[in-house]
Amino acid sequence: MRLHDFLPPHTAAARGARELVAQFHSSALSNHVHRSWLWAEAFALVEGRTGIDHELLYTAALLHDIGLAPEYDNHVLGYEEAGGFVGEALAAGAGWPATRRRRVNEVIVRHNWPSVDPDLDVEGYLLETATGLDVSGRRDEEIPVEFRREVLAAYPRLDLADEFGGSVRTQSERKPHSHARRLIDGGLIGKLAANPLERL
C-alpha cells in the first residue's frame, strides 16, 4: 500500500471540493481532510470492501469539516449538517442527480455518528472510521505503518489538535444540541493530544 495507489477522481465535483478546501480551510484542516480520504480508501482496501462510490467518498471526505469554516458556519445546524448541505449544493453544480446529491450530504453528516453500519452506508462507514483514526488514533495499527508514515509526510498534522479541538469546542458552546457537544463531552481534546499519529 503506497500513496500513489490512491489517485483523486478527475471530476467536476472532486475539483470543486479541492477548490473549496484550498480557499476556506487552513493548512492543518486541509491536510486533515486529505488524510481522512486516504485513510478511508486504505480501510476499504484492508477490509476488502467493494462497490464503493469513490467519487462520492472523495467529495464527502474533503468537505466533511467545511461547516467549521466561518463562511459556511450555520447558527443553528451542527457543522457536519451545514457541511452536508454544502456538499449537496456542490454536487448539484456538478450535475449529480438528486439521489446522489443526497448521498454526499448523508455521508458528511454520518462521519460524526458514534458508528455507522457498513451495510447501511459503506461510504459513511469508511469516512467515520477514517476520521476516527485521524482524530483519536482509533484502529491505527490496522493500517500499515509505512503507509501511515508516507501519508503523514505528505500531509503533516501541523497544529490540527489545537485548531480542530478549539473549533469544535466553540461549536459545542454555541450549539449545545449538536454532535460537537457530544464530541467534547466524550473527551475530544484529550483524544487529539493522545493520538499516536502525533508521535509517528
Side-chain angles (χ1 to χ4, degrees), residues 178-199:
S178 70
H179 279 288
R181 172 58 64 86
R182 177 184 60 79
L183 292 172
I184 292 296
D185 290 348
L188 173 71
I189 303 303
K191 290 175 182 177
L192 283 161
N195 190 330
L197 295 178
E198 293 285 349
R199 293 170 293 284

Side-chain angles (χ1 to χ4, degrees), residues 30-196:
S30 175
N31 286 357
H32 162 65
V33 299
H34 282 90
R35 286 193 309 272
S36 295
W37 166 63
L38 288 163
W39 302 142
E41 291 286 2
F43 276 114
L45 188 61
V46 165
E47 296 179 3
R49 301 282 174 186
T50 59
I52 296 161
D53 185 332
H54 293 279
E55 182 190 18
L56 169 65
L57 180 59
Y58 180 86
T59 304
L62 261 64
L63 296 179
H64 78 266
D65 281 339
I66 199 73
L68 291 174
E71 295 83 354
Y72 291 109
D73 192 8
N74 183 297
H75 74 287
V76 174
L77 298 178
Y79 71 90
E80 74 284 352
E81 295 170 303
F85 286 114
V86 174
E88 196 167 341
L90 181 141
W96 290 17
T99 54
R100 195 161 180 247
R101 295 197 300 264
R102 185 61 192 165
R103 284 288 299 123
V104 76
N105 191 327
E106 290 171 346
V107 173
I108 292 171
V109 167
R110 289 171 181 167
H111 95 271
N112 254 1
W113 285 11
S115 64
V116 179
D117 183 346
D119 292 331
L120 168 71
D121 179 354
V122 68
E123 292 85 9
Y125 161 79
L126 289 169
L127 186 55
E128 185 275 324
T129 303
T131 55
L133 167 57
D134 208 62
V135 168
S136 65
R138 192 176 66 204
R139 297 177 58 183
D140 66 307
E141 293 184 356
E142 296 179 37
I143 303 299
V145 66
E146 289 307 319
F147 182 69
R148 279 180 274 150
R149 288 184 175 134
E150 188 177 13
V151 170
L152 290 166
Y155 299 100
R157 295 183 69 79
L158 305 176
D159 60 347
L160 178 72
D162 290 338
E163 182 180 346
F164 181 72
S167 294
V168 176
R169 181 189 286 115
T170 298
Q171 289 267 327
S172 76
E173 292 167 352
R174 291 173 42 227
K175 307 170 190 179
H177 59 281
S178 70
H179 279 288
R181 172 58 64 86
R182 177 184 60 79
L183 292 172
I184 292 296
D185 290 348
L188 173 71
I189 303 303
K191 290 175 182 177
L192 283 161
N195 190 330

